[in-house]
Amino acid sequence: QDKRGLYGAYYVSRVEDVCVVDDVLAVEGEEYDLEEFEGYSMEKDELESVVGSPWKLRLRLADEEGRGMQIHCRMSEDYLDIRKGMNVVGILLSTSREFVKLAAMTDFCVLDAVGGPVWVGDYPYLDKDKFLRTLGENGIADSLVDIIYDDNDYYEEEEEEEEEEFYDDDDDSRDDDYDSDDNNLEEGDTGMLQKLK
């Protein structure tokens, strides 16, 4: 383990799956499609009014090499337009230069959501304007904009094609995904990490 404080890196990824759960430990069969929550608002969260705990968004991300991360946060009406295939950027922090284990992560920005960027996370760690400006300065935003325009038929194609499941419980060869509630990232599963400039 390094002894130079925290290392930071961009995690550049795409949405592989988005759904809603009542508990972060919910299994696949207990997930709800985001489309079922049309009209949802935090103010009128029915689950919270009954059991005292709100619905939670579950977001599965993967970088261009297929290495994944799973995060949870309180459900919000701001998340209703998030769709599979959208581009996401956040910052990961680790005491290890190799990012063997995560110390923390920021909120994530879904860049190409309808109506503009959507920020996913329970706490607003990032200065939003400065973060987006920095992405433009270091070229990350430009590369993602090119991807967005190159794949402008992505969502229509998704409806017509049967996509292979990103997480296959029978496939032991896949990387373990990162869960925001565990704060663990297995060695070699650092995703598409770009060192901060």
Side-chain angles (χ1 to χ4, degrees):
Q1 179 168 305
D2 300 312
K3 297 182 179 180
R4 299 181 181 178
L6 291 176
Y7 293 88
Y10 294 106
Y11 183 82
V12 183
S13 59
R14 273 188 172 185
V15 176
E16 285 293 320
D17 189 33
V18 57
C19 59
V20 179
V21 294
D22 60 1
D23 188 276
V24 296
L25 299 178
V27 298
E28 184 176 351
E30 298 171 334
E31 297 173 343
Y32 298 86
D33 290 338
L34 186 61
E35 288 81 0
E36 296 181 37
F37 284 76
E38 182 179 358
Y40 171 90
S41 71
M42 295 176 65
E43 184 179 357
K44 299 179 180 179
D45 190 305
E46 295 180 359
L47 184 66
E48 185 175 28
S49 65
V50 174
V51 302
S53 178
W55 290 104
K56 297 167 183 62
L57 183 79
R58 173 174 287 174
L59 197 62
R60 293 190 182 101
L61 309 174
D63 71 355
E64 62 180 6
E65 297 180 14
R67 293 172 292 195
M69 171 184 292
Q70 177 172 279
I71 61 175
H72 295 98
C73 63
R74 175 173 180 156
M75 180 59 185
S76 167
E77 53 266 39
D78 295 338
Y79 304 152
L80 293 175
D81 291 327
I82 296 177
R83 294 292 182 268
K84 186 175 179 179
M86 290 183 172
N87 294 284
V88 183
V89 182
I91 295 177
L92 307 182
L93 301 173
S94 176
T95 57
S96 166
R97 185 188 297 271
E98 290 75 28
F99 285 77
V100 174
K101 183 176 181 179
L102 295 185
M105 65 180 184
T106 66
D107 33 340
F108 287 81
C109 180
V110 183
L111 289 169
D112 43 334
V114 177
V118 170
W119 298 84
V120 177
D122 287 329
Y123 305 102
Y125 292 106
L126 296 172
D127 181 319
K128 299 177 181 179
D129 292 336
K130 185 174 182 180
F131 180 73
L132 293 174
R133 186 165 58 250
T134 301
L135 290 182
E137 293 171 353
N138 60 25
I140 292 179
D142 290 339
S143 65
L144 292 178
V145 168
D146 290 340
I147 292 173
I148 293 170
Y149 284 106
D150 289 342
D151 295 348
N152 57 4
D153 294 327
Y154 180 86
Y155 305 108
E156 289 78 4
E157 294 172 358
E158 277 285 302
E159 295 176 358
E160 299 173 0
E161 298 179 2
E162 283 238 0
E163 291 288 329
E164 179 181 356
E165 287 294 328
F166 178 65
Y167 292 102
D168 184 356
D169 293 335
D170 296 327
D171 183 3
D172 296 331
S173 64
R174 72 170 176 80
D175 292 324
D176 290 335
D177 64 291
Y178 170 74
D179 192 299
S180 62
D181 302 290
D182 296 336
N183 280 337
N184 285 310
L185 188 66
E186 297 298 326
E187 186 171 6
D189 188 26
T190 54
M192 183 179 169
L193 300 181
Q194 301 187 23
K195 301 300 182 183
L196 298 175
K197 294 183 179 180

